[in-house]
Amino acid sequence: GFSGSAGGQATVMNPCTQGLSGSRDRTVTIMHLGLTRTANVHLPAGWNGQTPRAVVLNFHGRNSTATQQNLLSGMNTLSDRAGFIAVHPQGVSNTWNAGLCCGEAQTRRIDDVGFVRALLVSLQGSICIDSKRVYATGLSNGGFISHRLGCELSDRVAAIAPVAGTNLTTPCT
């Protein structure tokens, strides 16, 4: 977040000094390229919000939802045990543009890589995240987008763990 200061200059607020307020389960909403995009965010139990935490992005499969992916994977429960921030982004029409696949997000050429980059910027501005420990996982179409993020967002994503999804991004560096 930003805050004004004397002299009219904006200063960046450090979310690590703010601590936590509000619910541990929240929905982040951002506008990206004219689309309203969301992600469900779970902050781990017992965390005071002042120590940087790893982030696990957990992507749903085609025709599934962010909420269903959490229920299927049990990621929020694991977040509470292991102390990381669990993030479940929502795809356009329940799909992800993984390059050569899948559904409406792919046919409309939705910029899901750009959305994830914007989501991480938003999270970093409001929650004490460890930007060096951002990981992506997902099932099926969610696994495909995890591969794409590993290829195209490697400056922000440290590692990927796709499930039942192959790399459909070519070329991949």
Side-chain angles (χ1 to χ4, degrees), residues 2-73:
F2 292 93
S3 175
S5 66
Q9 297 200 11
T11 57
V12 177
M13 293 172 39
N14 181 350
C16 297
T17 61
Q18 304 301 310
L20 290 182
S21 62
S23 172
R24 290 193 180 274
D25 292 296
R26 46 188 83 180
T27 300
V28 172
T29 302
I30 62 173
M31 285 296 294
H32 184 258
L33 299 177
L35 296 173
T36 302
R37 305 293 304 266
T38 63
N40 298 335
V41 177
H42 176 78
L43 307 178
W47 179 50
N48 68 6
Q50 296 182 318
T51 306
R53 295 297 174 138
V55 173
V56 176
L57 302 166
N58 189 11
F59 295 91
H60 63 78
R62 183 177 179 178
N63 298 326
S64 188
T65 67
T67 300
Q68 289 169 335
Q69 180 64 14
N70 173 51
L71 294 173
L72 181 65
S73 66

Side-chain angles (χ1 to χ4, degrees), residues 40-122:
N40 298 335
V41 177
H42 176 78
L43 307 178
W47 179 50
N48 68 6
Q50 296 182 318
T51 306
R53 295 297 174 138
V55 173
V56 176
L57 302 166
N58 189 11
F59 295 91
H60 63 78
R62 183 177 179 178
N63 298 326
S64 188
T65 67
T67 300
Q68 289 169 335
Q69 180 64 14
N70 173 51
L71 294 173
L72 181 65
S73 66
M75 194 64 71
N76 287 1
T77 300
L78 184 57
S79 162
D80 287 337
R81 282 201 318 257
F84 62 85
I85 299 164
V87 179
H88 296 87
Q90 179 60 50
V92 171
S93 297
N94 298 338
T95 62
W96 298 105
N97 180 358
L100 298 177
C101 179
C102 290
E104 188 172 331
Q106 189 265 337
T107 58
R108 287 179 51 193
R109 298 183 179 200
I110 300 296
D111 181 12
D112 282 325
V113 174
F115 161 59
V116 172
R117 182 179 296 280
L119 175 61
L120 291 172
V121 168
S122 175

Side-chain angles (χ1 to χ4, degrees), residues 97-99 110 113 143-153 167 169:
N97 180 358
I110 300 296
V113 174
F144 298 154
I145 190 65
S146 296
H147 273 289
R148 186 167 192 184
L149 295 173
C151 294
E152 298 180 19
L153 202 61
N167 184 11
T169 305

